[in-house]
Amino acid sequence: MNYNILRYVIMVAEERSFTKAAKKLYISQPSLSQIIKNEEEKLGITLFDRSSYPLTLTDAGKEYVHWARQILAVCENMERRLDDFSKRERIFLKIGILPEFSSFILSHPLKLFRERNPNSFVKIVERSSNELEKSLENYNLDFIIGLTHKDKYKYISEPLYDEKIVLAATSEFFPIDKSIKEVNLSDFSDAPFITMKEGQFLYNITHELCKESGFVPKIVVDCYNLETAMHLVKAGVGVALIPDLMTYVVGGLNYYNINLSTPESQISIVYDRSHYLTHQTRELIEHIKNNIVNNLNIMKNKTKTQQPN
């Protein structure tokens, strides 16, 4: 069995184009087309419906890709297990994370990990929750940091923290009574809002909570990174709904609980149950967990010091 051919078919299926797949595989389009055609002739099946645009898999093609991914995943698991016995110093890890969380969850853990593994290479993939789960399903990532996975049979979710949504604002948007720690979101119906891009978790939450409060938010900026959004709030561009764990990251802002039943989401480290984690992968996961615990303690201590005597 030629594992490269399996990878070629998977790439064509993902790109839905021989031309795009060939560019990513660094081979010519005619060569790729011929390789796929030879594989079809050898198996006596048609993998792709070439009459459709973009390219689609036939039923036989879907079955082929399903098993091809599993075969490659088994091979990669074997390599990962053997890596634990290997003296090779180069370490490759691929992790996915929601873009809202990457800066404050990964920065310190990666610094510690790199100090202990100086020849490591970590690829960070920032995507929406649905895209991360799809990449995990296709065995493209070692683990993801995102919402706890609903499928507890196939995936293991190691909880990091329960996320609560709060409102971030500057003095320009203070309520009249500055001692207030909880606000009605409807009081900010005329305020400009900063959100994440459409499809991201916080974009959906912002629109859902504002709708529940009886108004449509006036979006003035949308951005991909949460820390960028918070600095825009600090500059007085608008207000934003953010996870409570971010409240210690950017100073000079005021954070309010929302007098509304806000959704609490559990953020976890998620990986395929069949996916073998090397001891280096486990090491990075432990660094991430410890960092979250430290951040939560900082946030609790900060909350205590802000409480009136």
Side-chain angles (χ1 to χ4, degrees):
M1 178 175 291
N2 188 323
Y3 295 118
N4 279 336
I5 294 178
L6 301 182
R7 294 186 178 93
Y8 292 167
V9 174
I10 290 172
M11 183 61 74
V12 174
E14 290 177 350
E15 294 299 320
R16 303 184 71 181
S17 163
F18 282 106
T19 303
K20 291 179 181 178
K23 286 181 180 178
K24 287 200 170 183
L25 293 167
Y26 299 103
I27 62 175
S28 69
Q29 186 270 323
S31 296
L32 178 60
S33 297
Q34 189 59 51
I35 290 169
I36 302 296
K37 187 170 181 59
N38 291 344
E39 182 74 351
E40 290 176 320
E41 290 176 353
K42 184 182 80 172
L43 297 172
I45 59 175
T46 300
L47 296 171
F48 296 97
D49 181 358
R50 292 165 173 81
S51 66
S52 66
Y53 182 81
L55 211 61
T56 58
L57 287 165
T58 63
D59 288 341
K62 291 175 184 177
E63 193 72 11
Y64 183 103
V65 169
H66 169 75
W67 287 104
R69 283 182 171 139
Q70 293 201 41
I71 291 167
L72 292 176
V74 168
C75 291
E76 289 170 5
N77 264 343
M78 181 186 72
E79 291 175 0
R80 277 189 289 270
R81 285 180 178 269
L82 294 177
D83 273 344
D84 278 345
F85 297 94
S86 172
K87 294 182 180 179
R88 288 187 307 179
E89 295 185 354
R90 192 66 167 155
I91 301 165
F92 296 90
L93 294 179
K94 293 179 294 183
I95 62 178
I97 188 168
L98 295 170
E100 296 96 314
F101 309 135
S102 55
S103 61
F104 75 97
I105 285 184
L106 291 179
S107 300
H108 189 61
L110 282 175
K111 180 179 182 294
L112 294 176
F113 182 74
R114 286 277 304 147
E115 287 173 353
R116 300 218 15 193
N117 303 278
N119 292 315
S120 62
F121 176 81
V122 180
K123 181 176 182 179
I124 300 173
V125 178
E126 295 179 299
R127 295 287 186 273
S128 69
S129 185
N130 289 338
E131 290 172 321
L132 288 178
E133 289 184 2
K134 187 67 176 176
S135 293
L136 200 61
E137 182 182 334
N138 293 338
Y139 308 103
N140 293 330
L141 299 170
D142 290 301
F143 65 87
I144 65 174
I145 301 171
L147 302 178
T148 296
H149 206 289
K150 295 178 182 178
D151 188 346
K152 293 179 172 55
Y153 176 77
K154 186 176 181 183
Y155 298 99
I156 293 176
S157 296
E158 299 187 18
L160 291 175
Y161 67 96
D162 293 326
E163 176 185 75
K164 181 183 175 183
I165 302 300
V166 298
L167 182 78
T170 58
S171 57
E172 183 178 349
F173 302 100
F174 274 5
I176 296 174
D177 184 351
K178 294 185 179 181
S179 67
I180 290 177
K181 297 300 179 184
E182 185 175 88
V183 297
N184 293 315
L185 198 56
S186 57
D187 292 340
F188 295 83
S189 59
D190 292 328
F193 272 78
I194 299 166
T195 69
M196 298 295 96
K197 287 192 174 295
E198 186 172 357
Q200 290 181 242
F201 173 68
L202 284 175
Y203 174 92
N204 297 331
I205 290 296
T206 298
H207 281 266
E208 288 171 12
L209 292 180
C210 290
K211 181 180 180 181
E212 194 172 337
S213 299
F215 70 97
V216 176
K218 296 178 180 178
I219 308 298
V220 295
V221 177
D222 69 4
C223 53
Y224 196 65
N225 184 280
L226 182 55
E227 196 165 351
T228 300
M230 293 183 68
H231 282 288
L232 290 172
V233 173
K234 187 175 181 179
V237 177
V239 302
L241 295 176
I242 65 163
D244 57 350
L245 193 60
M246 282 293 289
T247 59
Y248 86 97
V249 175
V250 178
L253 290 175
N254 292 277
Y255 301 100
Y256 303 99
N257 293 322
I258 300 169
N259 186 14
L260 193 67
S261 179
T262 58
E264 289 194 5
S265 304
Q266 189 177 68
I267 303 301
S268 297
I269 290 173
V270 184
Y271 51 89
D272 193 301
R273 192 175 290 275
S274 65
H275 184 93
Y276 178 74
L277 300 181
T278 64
H279 66 82
Q280 291 96 347
T281 307
R282 285 264 28 132
E283 179 186 341
L284 178 55
I285 288 174
E286 290 308 311
H287 284 318
I288 293 170
K289 285 182 171 182
N290 291 335
N291 183 57
I292 290 294
V293 170
N294 291 336
N295 288 345
L296 288 173
N297 287 334
I298 291 171
M299 189 173 71
K300 288 177 183 176
N301 291 334
K302 185 177 179 181
T303 302
K304 286 179 182 179
T305 58
Q306 290 176 343
Q307 289 177 347
N309 294 325

